[in-house]
């Protein structure tokens, strides 16, 4: 089973950019669908996006589409979340997650069995 650890969070001004990383240990990383979720105070955990095993397809929440980009490097066991044009509403703890199963266009947190501990992203206005 794979273990996940996020990094790259921090404080950024509105309109800025940030790249999150997710390091996977254990094997086999390439057999998992990888995703990003976020949890803001007072809200439910929200799907951000996901990437298929080989990286050839991605899906995003409407709220981040066009601003966020997910990528992965199966050789290095890494997943990335590039975030651009950040408004304060993107402030949340961001989680990396791994799922087994069939690729689809909509994802629920319950479908991801493996989670990292999260990294805080704060966007200041």
């Amino acid at each position: 089973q794979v273990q996940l650890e996020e990094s790259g969070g921090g404080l950024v001004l509105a309109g800025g950019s940030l790249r999150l990383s997710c390091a996977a240990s254990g094997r086999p990383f390439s057999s998992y669908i990888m995703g990003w979720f976020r949890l803001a105070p007072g809200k439910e955990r929200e799907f951000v996006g996901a990437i298929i095993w080989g990286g050839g397809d991605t899906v995003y929440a409407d709220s981040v589409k066009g601003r966020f980009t997910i990528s992965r490097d199966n050789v290095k066991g890494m997943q990335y979340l590039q975030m651009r044009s950040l408004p304060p509403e993107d402030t949340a703890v961001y989680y990396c997650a791994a799922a087994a199963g069939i690729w689809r266009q909509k994802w629920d947190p319950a479908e991801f069995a493996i989670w990292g501990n999260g990294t805080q992203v704060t966007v200041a206005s």
Side-chain angles (χ1 to χ4, degrees):
Q1 180 168 312
V2 68
Q3 293 82 44
L4 306 174
E5 182 174 3
E6 304 90 341
S7 62
L11 176 64
V12 62
L13 293 177
S17 299
L18 205 61
R19 190 178 84 152
L20 306 183
S21 298
C22 173
S25 59
R27 293 187 176 186
F29 175 73
S30 60
S31 68
Y32 289 95
I33 293 164
M34 298 300 298
W36 288 96
F37 290 80
R38 64 187 182 184
L39 181 62
K43 295 186 178 181
E44 294 185 353
R45 191 166 298 198
E46 177 189 15
F47 172 73
V48 173
I51 186 167
I52 201 171
W53 311 277
D57 197 7
T58 52
V59 60
Y60 298 95
D62 288 342
S63 59
V64 306
K65 199 173 295 183
R67 300 188 298 114
F68 288 12
T69 303
I70 296 174
S71 59
R72 66 188 295 168
D73 184 332
N74 286 343
V75 174
K76 295 181 178 179
M78 297 292 295
Q79 183 191 202
Y80 305 99
L81 178 65
Q82 178 67 53
M83 304 183 292
R84 300 177 179 87
S85 301
L86 290 162
E89 295 74 40
D90 285 334
T91 294
V93 177
Y94 283 73
Y95 295 89
C96 172
I102 300 172
W103 177 250
R104 57 178 69 94
Q105 295 299 306
K106 285 188 176 182
W107 291 94
D108 185 85
E111 296 172 299
F112 286 77
I114 304 169
W115 293 81
N117 291 325
T119 186
Q120 175 71 47
V121 172
T122 302
V123 184
S125 57

